[in-house]
């Protein structure tokens, strides 16, 4: 519902303009009623169950959080199925009594949203905005008062997340149905399917009834619209607008305003307006202010937009422009037009995201898709409710009082979003509102439980799920990289990439695709300028891997001065005899053999025949000049170093490794599948001495060479240590058979570690090749040897200034060793099987510095962990990997790569040295200005990685990336990517803990984010009350994700998190790409109640509230995979999944699901397999039964909730952020 | 009374002792005037097939500072069951087991014919013999193959209970674990880092307790073996395979380099391994080297081929930069090994030098063998090596281990020192002279390895003052007590007690002079000279010897013509061989074969080289057959194959047969050379003969028979003339 409202908001924005022509509103009103009516229809259906509740209820439910989970689901359920159960009960439970009265009224309101709204909105509509705003404001400020109101108000909407969908379906439907439907149907229809589906999914099964109605009647259309075009806008608006709307809601009390509010409501329907919004987006912000004042008008504008409802069809179709215009017709006068004119085009595509968001309306366009919905909805609801609520709660009332005052300002704000006037409130609400709605105050001030209930409705705050789904829906076309400054689809979206001159987002993702032109701007915005580069990323089968280009004996053609490699940014001049470097502008002669004529456009005629002239990513064959010692490299070698101490043998590790290697060695990486791998292998076992093996093919039996002088490591043999697998197969097999036997009775418990790596390193040195060490290690190396460690795990240090020392290596030995390894191209992969503290922080130094990986299997048990370990090992051995690599990032004048994050070593400030670089490793590069950038040329970067392939070929992989430069901050905010920013922040923070107290790191993060958002608020958003939280569309998830980073085990460890785990995660994150960090920080949580063969169920948000006791959920983080089973799950589900009818009989120690012959089981296992296939590390499945002890672990990943270790819940954190922002602004 | 020569021979036969003087001057003053000191060549284990082993332990003098063994020279009071020590005059009670003793029932040790007697100690465990092979792998495949075969062969010669071990080295040093099934294991050590025994023990996992990480059932039941040293019978096959699989050191040797050979560390590890597993137990470390140590402690030359190994001149100029350090390294090893009773043998087979100069102490101090050959693929090495394992009639090896020799003297005489394959045990006692000759300052020496031929030179000092005359008929007594580990594993004690008459030099100079044993004295003085040559400057020694002795200098001092390692080698042999062999070394023997009569010894003189003669020269190290010019021509013409010239065939065959006989009895195997007039190998002969004819005087001698020798050495005639002149002038 909320969504709908929100979405409307969007339209409202559009409307606001129209707002000028208040008349518009009227019509809108008229229009609204219509929509509402339909809603009522649906509403009524709900009502029977808990209609109002459904809407409001859900909202409340969420707020009540405690029980919420249940409630939330309930709500959904209600819609769908078992609403009655807990949901209704619980949420209300707590609140029930108090609220009932209030809530009810609200509910109605809320409900109204869908149904009743009509009435309220119409009347109160406008006022609400004011009030809401004020409320919000107050809420934000006052916390106590507003919170509740907001809470309740928002809550419903939020709760509706699921509602969202439902909400969308429901609320929008009404409005949409009225107008949009037609439009939507036409334009959006395609989406509708998805939309509806999505909505349904959200709701889970429950929605069907309710939703269906909606869908069928209105929702579908509306949703469709949203999903497709309009939907996007909502998001932007959603956040704030809704709130604003909600704000307005109170006004409803004030009859006059109401209309406005209504308009809002209508907006939802008008969401189509989003189209109009798009128009707004461009100009919106600026115009907005002016327009805002007209607040009143906004409504009108809204109405105007609403008109679309009437014309919606038009709007819808026009969604983009035409649509809006028409609707705007009325509103147009004011802002709409301007927006349209300017923004429209952009909006259509991008606008929604950036400007739109910022602008109330724009957001509409953008946000409209998902977020707007929720946002709007909540707002609207809030508004609605608030209007009521205020009354309900005395406090609120008071709040409202102040709010009114605020309202004034707010209205102004709303203005920002063109729709400012009426929408203004809404718009602000949308972005701001959300936050507002969230009124941090509430959270913070929340008087305990009840208040908490009253708190912001989680559904009213930006939902990651919504954003993800919206992006999915939006990205149906292949993404072409030719357009500079264009942000790619989110990492959660499946899309195809067409390389048209810039590197695929699979290789390079940027935080900002519009870089500020000046350092001042960059500094002001605080938005990190960074790129996450994954140079050897694997591409899906339908995309072509980079072509290999051979420029002959002279090597790749390069710029004479800056040495940039030939790329599409080189401009050929003088008929093709020279080219000008796009990076440094230096002119270089074209070597005769490379000469080619230019066509009339100045392009070489062979431009499209040469990958280096037309593509973003490609490879060069390097010449001997690019090789160490000017000698072509030898093929690399893999050396397996296996701990055979007591623990290793006892745990079964030794046996498993040896058995596995027998087959795994046939899958060594190779470039030509027809050929044998060129990689040679060697074997070492060790405890406190090392055993090398001679496996020369001519031997009948392997020979063991023991080196017990570990103080000064050397390799005892040359010939026969590194061998070709095929030639020495028999000897190797014999060896692998005998190793477990030989050490079966070992009593040696001590191990060494430093010498082990030294041994591998020396072996590679002796063989004069690069390579990789696979070290299988179990314990803290306490035996007398270089690199000996002592147990220093001291939990008392946690939280002190000395905590950082726990992340630092305890001896300098490994740093030195790492350096030597890098010099030789010796990459180290470490598999740990610890039963206690092993000091990952120290042991990981070499792997991390050499581009290797650390895998950790704590308390390894062969039976339980074998599968995970073996799959990791297999992948690690087989995966594409380059050796002895050097990466250099060149940039065009004006910016410079200044910092690098990842697993590598740097001996100077520019060259990233990677002893090994595999397809899973990403490097985050930070850029800083060193001059002004120009908007015409944009900013170019070229990432060149020189490496030795697994066949021993020396190559250069080139990734080019061009981004736009902007002189307006708004452009920056409109074209950035939160997931990438989070990737950067997490790496930045995780490195920071090495040298700073953890708390300081956390504060820095919060502070920087607050600055980013405050800057936006100050410079890009329309002026509004400080009480409003306004988030840029592209960054509306920044708070929730940032909170996840802050709550991570590294930055905020729980009592049960070992120091090793933290060090491990810290190192692990440092080389993750955006996809991985995203799912790591915001796990994917899928409800499994219904599975379809073609698609995945729509995820739900990571909160306990979203879990239904009767459901089964799958949660994946990229490292963990949980199957959560509700306590009252249906027998049928159990039978389908586990083959047992009883919850009690589920064996929670199982690591794989039984293979059952039913479609559900098959599909579920398929899903699990596909998840595993997507991740670079195998995820062991953990079955978690509700209320089981293991659930604690599981809950840890419900990142929107308050964490056991003290991490704030999403809502609380958002409030906190808001406070921070306000402080900055004031 | 027999003549002195007979007496001497009899004594040598019975006791293995030859004194320079068989009647001793009775005062210190007189003794010093005699130039040649009272000294003895003693062969402790001289083969005595007639000697019955005594199955009980010797009876010792109860005086703590004496502890002499009851012997036939002691005065015995059969009734009181007392005996008086003939060294300290302490009266001792016979032990209870001698209760039945009487004039007619004397224990063997009191019988005069048992002046040398051997006791078998019954106490203590039977120690196994330990053989540790230390094998260089930096050599040509051919050589290595031959060596491997020799080693494999040797396994069959070892008693089944003997423990064997294998260490191989090249760039690295590998200690092989024996008896592994499936995977063969070895512990590898860097060739550049020395380790002490304790480190080694830890690294090999030989710490006593449970540390034995390897499984290996043998660890527990048989404490006397370990993973590296195991009974032949058990790992015979395994070791044979292991040896068979030995590969040439795989590390690449680039052009212009020597292979890196970690000899020093390998030996150190071998010594350390035995040190921590079998201290004070007989053990042989048999080192086979194919070249000089080129890295790590003990290296004698760098791996750059362009830098040649140090020459005599470098050493003289103190320009051999590795020598001192290397020598020190090997000396410390020798000390460690000898302290624990372990023998170090060195079999150096290479065309170039192998650094024996630096390593000599290892063999010299431990009684180990030093064998030199051009290649392991020569019969010289193969047969010599085989002969190491020669067995006596009882089937025991002719080698003994971990021996200590103690000398006890009567009051008038003290022991100054010993020269031979021994080290001092620093046992002070009343019979130790302050005046050191050779290894002195002690009355006990350790001889880690000895065989029936091993002969020590012992020097004594008469300390009786001139004014304290010894009663007429008094005899000075010397007792040699040799405790050793027999190759059967038994501990045995051989006691030799000798006595010589005292004589007043002023009154009985004749008898003293008559008792002079010229041969023994020559050898004793030569040993002394060699000893001094080793410790002092060469030319000085020559002069000293010239002054001391009216005797031909042997090649032992002629350093200039020999490379160092060779001289080390020669001296090594000289210092341990018995008198006869030593004499041969000093003065090679030359036989002439011709149609003119039966073979006859001829002067080692160039004049002996005649065209129609075949010469057979035995220099101990070489057996050389030289065909005179005419004979050579005949041979070339093939006369020997013609029936009518059968006599010529016989003539040709005669020296060969004789040579074979020599070859078979000699250890180490001499180099066998068959050459002829003008042959390149003839130089060996020409370098030995007395240059009566040289290019300087050959025209004076006219075109006579004989062959001129190109040398700057003075001829014997000239030398003799000079000596005479000197004698006259000094007398004046």
């Amino acid at each position: 519902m909320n969504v709908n409202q929100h979405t409307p908001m969007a339209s409202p924005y559009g409307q606001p303009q129209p707002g000028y022509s208040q008349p518009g509103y009227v019509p809108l009103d008229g229009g609204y009623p219509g929509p509402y009516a339909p809603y009522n229809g649906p509403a009524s259906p709900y009502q029977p169950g808990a209609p109002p509740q459904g809407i409001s209820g859900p909202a409340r439910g969420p707020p009540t959080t405690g029980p919420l989970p249940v409630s939330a689901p309930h709500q959904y359920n209600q819609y769908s199925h078992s609403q009655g159960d807990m949901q209704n009960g619980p949420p209300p439970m707590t609140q029930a009594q108090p609220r009932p009265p209030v809530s009810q009224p609200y509910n109605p309101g809320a409900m109204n949203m869908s149904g009743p709204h009509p009435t309220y909105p119409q009347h109160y509509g406008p006022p609400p905005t004011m009030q809401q705003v004020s409320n919000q404001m107050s809420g934000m400020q006052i916390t106590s008062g507003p919170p509740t109101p907001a809470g309740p108000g928002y809550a419903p909407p939020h709760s509706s997340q699921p509602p969202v969908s439902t909400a969308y379906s429901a609320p929008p439907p009404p409005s949409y149905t009225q107008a949009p439907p037609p439009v939507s149907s036409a334009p959006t229809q395609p989406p509708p399917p998805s939309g509806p589906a999505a909505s349904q999914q959200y709701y889970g099964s429950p929605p069907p009834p309710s939703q269906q109605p909606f869908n069928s009647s209105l929702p579908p259309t509306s949703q469709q619209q949203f999903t497709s075009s309009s939907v996007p806008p909502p998001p932007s608006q959603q956040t704030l607008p809704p709130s604003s709307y909600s704000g307005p809601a109170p006004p409803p009390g004030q009859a006059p305003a109401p209309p406005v509010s209504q308009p809002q409501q209508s907006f939802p329907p008008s969401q189509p307006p989003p189209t109009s919004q798009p128009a707004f987006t461009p100009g919106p912000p600026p115009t907005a202010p002016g327009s805002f004042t007209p607040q009143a008008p906004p409504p009108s504008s809204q109405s105007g937009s609403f008109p679309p409802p009437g014309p919606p069809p038009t709007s819808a179709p026009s969604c983009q422009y035409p649509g809006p215009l028409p609707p705007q017709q009325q509103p147009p006068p004011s802002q709409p037009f301007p927006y349209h004119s300017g923004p429209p085009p952009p909006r259509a595509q991008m606008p929604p995201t950036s400007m739109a968001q910022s602008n109330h309306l724009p957001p509409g366009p953008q946000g409209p898709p998902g977020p707007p919905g929720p946002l709007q909805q909540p707002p609207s609801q809030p508004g609605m409710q608030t209007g009521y609520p205020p009354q309900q709660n005395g406090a609120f009332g008071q709040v409202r009082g102040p709010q009114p005052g605020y309202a004034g300002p707010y209205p102004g704000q709303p203005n920002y979003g063109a729709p400012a006037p009426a929408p203004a409130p809404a718009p602000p609400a949308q972005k701001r509102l959300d936050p507002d709605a969230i009124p941090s105050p509430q959270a913070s001030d929340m008087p305990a439980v009840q208040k908490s209930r009253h708190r912001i409705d989680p559904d009213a705050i930006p939902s990651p799920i919504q954003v993800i789904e919206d992006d999915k829906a939006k990205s149906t076309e292949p993404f072409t990289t030719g357009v500079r400054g264009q942000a790619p689809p989110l990492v959660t979206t499946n899309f195809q990439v067409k390389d048209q001159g810039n590197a695929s987002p699979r290789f390079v993702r940027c935080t900002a695709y519009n870089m500020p032109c000046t350092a001042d701007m960059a500094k002001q915005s605080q938005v990190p300028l960074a790129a996450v580069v994954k140079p050897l990323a694997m591409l899906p089968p339908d995309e072509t891997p980079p072509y290999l280009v051979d420029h002959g004996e002279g090597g790749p053609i390069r710029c004479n001065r800056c040495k940039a490699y030939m790329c599409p940014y080189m401009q050929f001049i003088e008929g093709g005899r020279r080219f000008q470097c796009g990076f440094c502008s230096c002119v270089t002669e074209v070597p005769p053999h490379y000469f080619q004529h230019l066509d009339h456009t100045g392009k070489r005629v062979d431009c499209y025949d040469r990958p280096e002239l037309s593509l973003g990513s490609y490879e060069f064959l390097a010449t001997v000049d690019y090789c160490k010692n000017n000698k072509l490299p030898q093929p690399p070698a893999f050396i397996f170093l296996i701990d055979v101490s007591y623990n290793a043998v006892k745990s079964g590790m030794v046996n498993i490794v040896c058995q596995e290697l027998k087959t795994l060695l046939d899958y060594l990486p190779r470039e030509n599948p027809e050929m044998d791998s060129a990689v040679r292998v060697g074997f070492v076992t060790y405890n406190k001495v090392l055993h090398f093996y001679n496996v020369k093919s001519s031997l009948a039996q392997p020979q063991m060479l023991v080196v017990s002088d570990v103080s000064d490591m050397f390799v005892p043999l040359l010939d026969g240590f590194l061998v070709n697998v095929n030639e020495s197969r028999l000897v190797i097999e014999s060896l692998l058979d005998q190793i477990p036997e030989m050490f079966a009775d070992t009593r040696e418990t001590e191990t060494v570690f430093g010498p082990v790596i030294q041994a591998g390193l020396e072996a590679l040195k002796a063989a004069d090749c690069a390579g990789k060490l696979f070290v299988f290690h179990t314990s803290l190396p306490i035996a007398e040897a270089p690199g000996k460690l002592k147990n220093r795990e001291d939990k008392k240090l946690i939280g002190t200034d000395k905590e950082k020392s726990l992340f630092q290596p305890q001896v300098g030995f490994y740093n030195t060793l790492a350096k030597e390894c890098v010099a030789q191209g010796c990459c180290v992969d470490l598999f740990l099987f610890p039963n206690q503290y092993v000091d990952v922080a120290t042991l990981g130094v070499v792997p991390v510095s050499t581009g290797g990986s650390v895998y950790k299997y704590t308390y390894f048990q062969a039976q339980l962990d074998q599968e995970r370990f073996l799959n990791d090992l297999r992948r690690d051995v087989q995966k594409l990997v380059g050796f002895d690599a050097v990466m250099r990032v060149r940039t065009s004048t004006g910016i410079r790569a200044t910092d690098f994050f990842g697993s590598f070593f740097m001996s100077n400030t520019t060259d990233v040295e990677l002893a090994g670089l595999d397809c899973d490793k990403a490097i985050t590069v930070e850029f800083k200005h060193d001059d002004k950038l120009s908007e015409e040329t944009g900013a170019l970067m070229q990432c060149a990685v020189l490496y030795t392939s697994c066949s021993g070929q020396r190559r250069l992989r080139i990734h080019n990336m061009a981004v736009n430069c902007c002189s307006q901050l708004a452009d920056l905010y409109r074209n950035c990517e939160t997931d990438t920013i989070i990737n950067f922040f997490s790496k930045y923070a995780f490195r920071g803990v090495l040298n700073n107290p953890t708390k300081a790191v956390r504060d820095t993060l919060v502070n920087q984010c607050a600055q980013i958002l405050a800057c936006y608020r100050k410079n890009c958003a329309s002026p509004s009350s400080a009480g409003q939280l306004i988030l840029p569309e592209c960054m509306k998830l920044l708070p929730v994700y940032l909170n996840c980073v802050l709550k991570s085990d590294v930055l905020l460890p729980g009592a049960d998190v070992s120091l090793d785990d933290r060090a491990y995660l810290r190192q692990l994150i440092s080389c993750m790409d955006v996809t991985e960090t995203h799912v790591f920080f915001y796990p994917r949580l899928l409800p499994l109640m219904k599975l379809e063969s073609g698609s995945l169920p729509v995820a739900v948000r990571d909160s306990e509230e979203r879990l239904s006791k009767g459901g089964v959920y799958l949660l994946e983080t990229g490292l963990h995979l949980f199957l959560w089973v509700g306590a009252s799950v249906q027998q049928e589900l159990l039978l389908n999944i586990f083959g047992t009818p009883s919850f009690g009989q589920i064996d929670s120690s199982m690591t794989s699901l039984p293979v059952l012959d039913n479609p559900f089981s098959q599909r579920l296992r398929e899903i699990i397999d596909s998840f595993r296939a997507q991740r670079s590390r195998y995820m062991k499945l953990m079955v978690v039964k509700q209320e089981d002890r293991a659930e604690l672990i599981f809950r840890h990943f419900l990142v929107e909730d308050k964490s056991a270790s003290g991490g704030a819940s999403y809502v609380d954190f958002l409030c906190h952020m808001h406070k921070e922002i306000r402080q900055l602004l004031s | 009374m027999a003549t002195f020569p007979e007496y001497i021979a009899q004594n040598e036969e019975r006791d293995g002792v030859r004194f320079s003087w068989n009647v001793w001057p009775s005062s210190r003053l007189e003794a010093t005037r005699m130039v040649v000191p009272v000294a003895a060549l003693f062969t402790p284990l001289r083969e005595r097939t007639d000697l019955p082993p005594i199955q009980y332990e010797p009876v010792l003098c109860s005086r703590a500072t004496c502890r002499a063994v009851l012997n036939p020279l002691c005065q015995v009071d059969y009734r009181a069951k007392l005996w008086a020590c003939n060294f300290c005059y302490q009266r001792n009670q016979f032990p209870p087991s001698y209760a039945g003793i009487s004039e007619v029932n004397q224990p063997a040790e009191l019988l005069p014919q048992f002046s040398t007697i051997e006791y078998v100690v019954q106490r203590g465990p039977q120690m196994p013999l330990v053989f540790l092979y230390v094998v260089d792998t930096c050599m040509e495949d051919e050589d290595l193959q031959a060596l491997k075969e020799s080693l494999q062969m040797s396994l069959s010669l070892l008693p089944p209970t003997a423990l064997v071990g294998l260490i191989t080295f090249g760039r690295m040093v590998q200690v092989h674990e024996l008896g592994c099934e499936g995977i063969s294991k070895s512990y590898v050590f860097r060739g550049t880092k020395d380790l002490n025994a304790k480190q080694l023990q830890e690294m090999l996992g030989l710490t006593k307790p449970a540390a034995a990480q390897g499984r290996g059932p043998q660890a527990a039941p048989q404490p006397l073996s370990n993973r590296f040293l195991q009974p032949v019978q058990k790992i015979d096959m395994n070791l044979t395979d292991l040896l068979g699989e030995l590969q040439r050191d795989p590390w690449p040797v680039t052009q212009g380099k020597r292979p890196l050979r970690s000899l020093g560390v390998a030996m150190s590890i071998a010594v350390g391994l035995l040190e921590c597993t079998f201290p004070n137990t007989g053990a042989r470390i048999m080192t086979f080297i194919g070249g000089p140590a080129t890295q790590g402690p003990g290296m004698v030359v760098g791996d750059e081929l362009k830098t040649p190994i140090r020459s005599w001149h470098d050493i003289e100029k103190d320009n051999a930069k590795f020598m001192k350090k290397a020598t020190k390294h090997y000396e410390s090893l020798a000390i460690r090994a000898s302290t624990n009773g372990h023998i170090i043998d060195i079999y150096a087979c290479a065309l170039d030098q192998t650094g024996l100069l630096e390593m000599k102490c290892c063999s010299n101090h431990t009684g180990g063998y030093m064998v030199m050959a051009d290649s392991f693929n020569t019969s010289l090495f193969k047969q010599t090596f085989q002969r190491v394992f020669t067995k006596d009639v009882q089937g025991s090896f002719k080698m003994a281990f971990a021996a200590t020799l103690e000398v006890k003297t009567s009051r008038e005489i003290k022991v100054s020192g010993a020269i031979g394959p021994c080290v001092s045990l620093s046992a002070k006692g009343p019979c130790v002279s302050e005046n050191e000759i050779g290894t002195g300052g002690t009355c006990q020496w350790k001889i880690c390895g000895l065989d029936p031929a091993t002969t020590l030179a012992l020097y004594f000092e008469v300390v009786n003052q001139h004014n304290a005359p010894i009663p007429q008929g008094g005899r000075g007594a010397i007792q040699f007590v040799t405790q050793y580990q027999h190759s059967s594993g038994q501990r045995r004690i051989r006691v030799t007690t000798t006595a010589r008459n005292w004589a007043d030099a002023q009154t009985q100079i004749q008898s003293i002079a008559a008792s002079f044993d010229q041969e023994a004295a020559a050898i004793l003085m030569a040993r002394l000279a060699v000893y001094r040559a080793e410790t002092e400057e060469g030319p000085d020694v020559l002069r000293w010897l010239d002054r001391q002795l009216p005797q031909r200098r042997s090649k032992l001092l002629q350093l200039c013509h020999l490379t160092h390692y060779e001289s080390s080698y020669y001296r090594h042999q000289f210092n341990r061989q018995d008198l006869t062999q030593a004499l041969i070394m000093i003065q090679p023997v030359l036989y002439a074969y011709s149609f003119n009569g039966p073979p006859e010894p001829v002067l080692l003189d160039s004049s002996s080289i005649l065209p129609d003669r075949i010469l057979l020269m035995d220099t101990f190290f070489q057996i050389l057959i030289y065909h005179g010019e005419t004979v050579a021509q005949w041979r070339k013409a093939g006369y020997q194959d013609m029936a009518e010239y059968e006599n010529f065939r016989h003539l040709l065959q005669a020296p060969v047969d004789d040579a074979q006989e020599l070859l078979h009895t000699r250890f180490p195997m001499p180099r066998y050379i068959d050459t002829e007039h003008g042959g390149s190998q003839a130089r060996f002969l020409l370098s030995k003969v007395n240059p009566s004819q040289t290019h300087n005087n050959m025209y004076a001698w006219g075109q006579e028979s004989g062959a001129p020798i190109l040398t700057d050495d003075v001829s014997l005639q000239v030398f003799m003339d000079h000596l005479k002149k000197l004698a006259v002038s000094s007398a004046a």
Side-chain angles (χ1 to χ4, degrees), chain B residues 362-375:
Chain B
C362 290
S363 292
N364 287 347
H365 290 181
T366 63
Y369 299 128
M370 190 186 275
V371 174
M372 230 177 63
D374 289 345
S375 157

Side-chain angles (χ1 to χ4, degrees), chain B residues 521-587:
Chain B
I523 303 303
L524 285 164
M525 290 313 285
R527 283 212 186 187
L528 197 50
V530 167
Y531 183 84
R532 296 181 76 139
E534 302 250 307
T535 51
E536 296 166 23
E537 291 301 315
D540 293 345
V541 177
L542 282 183
R543 231 166 286 136
W544 172 81
L545 199 59
D546 282 348
R547 260 185 280 123
Q548 297 280 326
L549 286 181
Q551 185 177 12
R552 168 127 166 77
R553 287 175 292 177
S554 84
K555 66 179 291 180
L556 294 165
L557 298 173
Q558 294 173 345
L559 306 172
C560 300
H561 292 181
L562 299 173
T563 51
H564 263 273
Y565 73 120
E566 279 183 311
S567 69
S568 301
Y569 177 53
Y570 291 141
R571 290 174 187 175
H572 164 81
Q573 295 299 352
F574 183 70
N575 271 352
R576 53 180 297 139
Q577 291 299 337
D578 63 22
L579 183 139
T580 322
Q581 310 291 347
L583 272 180
I584 295 173
M585 289 183 223
I586 293 181
Q587 179 105 28

Side-chain angles (χ1 to χ4, degrees), chain A residues 683-704:
Chain A
F683 304 89
V684 173
T685 58
Y686 66 94
N687 36 50
K688 70 180 190 188
V689 300
L690 279 81
H691 320 109
F692 293 77
Y693 295 93
N694 184 346
V695 284
K696 200 169 164 180
S697 57
S698 58
L699 294 174
Q701 282 285 343
Q703 292 175 347
M704 176 203 265

